[in-house]
Amino acid sequence: MSETIWMCPVCGAPLAWDARTLRCPARHSFDAARSGYVHLLPASRKRSAVPGDDPEMVRSRRRFLENGHYAHLLETLQDAAAALPQGAVLLDAGCGEGWYTKGIHAARPDLTVFGIDISKTAADLAARADKSAAYAVASVFHMPVQTASCDAVMSVFAPYCGEEFRRVLRPGGRLILAVPAARHLWELKCAVYEHPYENELHDTALEGFKFLEKRETSRMISLDTPQAIADLFGMTPYAYRTSPADRARLDALTSLETLAAFEVLVYEKEDAPCAAP
């Protein structure tokens, strides 16, 4: 058996590979899919039959990202990851189809890289794209990852779960967060909505973490086909809550130039305070 950071989602014991099957000492077992990912999301933690982004949203995001529209964000994430120690273990929590994960790994092939996403379609695409990383279907709120097994956790537009991030990070480990800037996709919002609003920016303070730095990156992106516009919109939260009238304005667009602006926030895990005597 070979070692890994995965933890049994049933009993919490460490998992290890036995050929193409992960097993724990209690003999719970999880087979790898043909693409290489493992399904570590118990049925009891599913909130729907097919949790996470639906297959069409995942494919839209893959098409959009592979056209390089967010390359400046990937470059900023690569710069942030450059400070990680040689051979560090990096977990991408909410990795989606793995475009950023693969990009980080390409820039830092010395890293040991893992990714989790609650969408089976996303984990499958990620595993197919990067055979040198390990991927699993799992929730960021109940990560099947051993305690203090990671040197860094990366979260790109994924749900934030500070308690779990602190648990899996080693002392002094890094947390790298990517969030939209206030005017991210502003021109798209103006074209679709009657009353567009800026994204809410939160305080950089996070419990249990020391804030180290903020990196800002932005550029205007040009989309020259309805498909490209639909792919961008389909990978945003707006796709879930847009009225038919607003959707009609979106569908009428044949080209679009909009700002793609992001903040990359870097933190260090703080040592837990000593218990009172």
Side-chain angles (χ1 to χ4, degrees):
M1 285 190 173
S2 60
E3 298 301 320
T4 179
I5 68 169
W6 299 132
M7 178 179 75
C8 179
V10 178
C11 67
L15 288 170
W17 284 109
D18 180 4
R20 290 182 57 81
T21 300
L22 282 171
R23 302 186 193 277
C24 73
R27 308 307 293 173
H28 300 123
S29 61
F30 308 88
D31 295 332
R34 180 174 298 179
S35 62
Y37 77 90
V38 286
H39 200 289
L40 300 179
L41 179 66
S44 60
R45 289 183 177 152
K46 288 186 178 181
R47 295 185 178 180
S48 65
V50 184
D53 293 340
D54 62 57
E56 183 51 41
M57 178 175 285
V58 173
R59 287 189 286 267
S60 293
R61 187 166 58 232
R62 167 60 65 86
R63 285 193 300 266
F64 181 85
L65 292 174
E66 286 189 339
N67 281 322
H69 298 300
Y70 284 4
H72 56 304
L73 173 56
L74 174 58
E75 291 169 1
T76 306
L77 289 167
Q78 290 170 331
D79 289 344
L84 298 179
Q86 187 78 11
V89 174
L90 169 69
L91 172 68
D92 190 348
C95 64
E97 72 300 321
W99 191 78
Y100 298 105
T101 328
K102 181 181 178 181
I104 294 292
H105 209 186
R108 289 290 308 271
D110 62 290
L111 299 179
T112 302
V113 176
F114 296 83
I116 63 170
D117 199 273
I118 201 168
S119 163
K120 185 171 72 171
T121 301
D124 179 68
L125 284 175
R128 292 178 187 276
D130 186 4
K131 296 296 184 181
S132 60
Y135 293 94
V137 176
S139 167
V140 298
F141 295 101
H142 301 280
M143 296 195 291
V145 175
Q146 297 173 38
T147 298
S149 61
C150 302
D151 298 292
V153 169
M154 183 170 75
S155 176
V156 181
F157 315 133
Y160 177 77
C161 186
E163 183 177 354
E164 276 289 85
F165 293 170
R166 292 191 299 272
R167 181 184 67 79
V168 303
L169 279 171
R170 295 182 176 124
R174 293 289 177 96
L175 173 63
I176 303 172
L177 299 179
V179 298
R183 288 231 161 189
H184 177 57
L185 302 184
W186 180 250
E187 291 76 13
L188 173 63
K189 291 180 178 180
C190 290
V192 173
Y193 301 117
E194 291 186 14
H195 305 289
Y197 57 90
E198 293 187 354
N199 297 311
E200 182 181 359
L201 297 181
H202 299 281
D203 193 307
T204 55
L206 294 176
E207 182 180 356
F209 289 99
K210 176 185 177 182
F211 177 66
L212 297 181
E213 63 173 332
K214 177 171 69 174
R215 297 167 180 256
E216 298 177 309
T217 182
S218 65
R219 79 177 193 191
M220 298 297 293
I221 60 173
S222 298
L223 308 178
D224 56 8
T225 67
Q227 181 65 66
I229 298 169
D231 285 345
L232 170 59
F233 196 80
M235 59 187 258
T236 70
Y238 316 129
Y240 293 111
R241 52 176 187 264
T242 297
S243 70
D246 292 337
R247 188 81 199 194
R249 282 191 284 270
L250 173 73
D251 294 340
L253 295 175
T254 58
S255 64
L256 175 72
E257 187 169 275
T258 189
L259 181 68
F262 311 97
E263 295 181 353
V264 173
L265 311 174
V266 182
Y267 297 82
E268 182 180 283
K269 179 184 174 181
E270 295 180 330
D271 292 335
C274 297

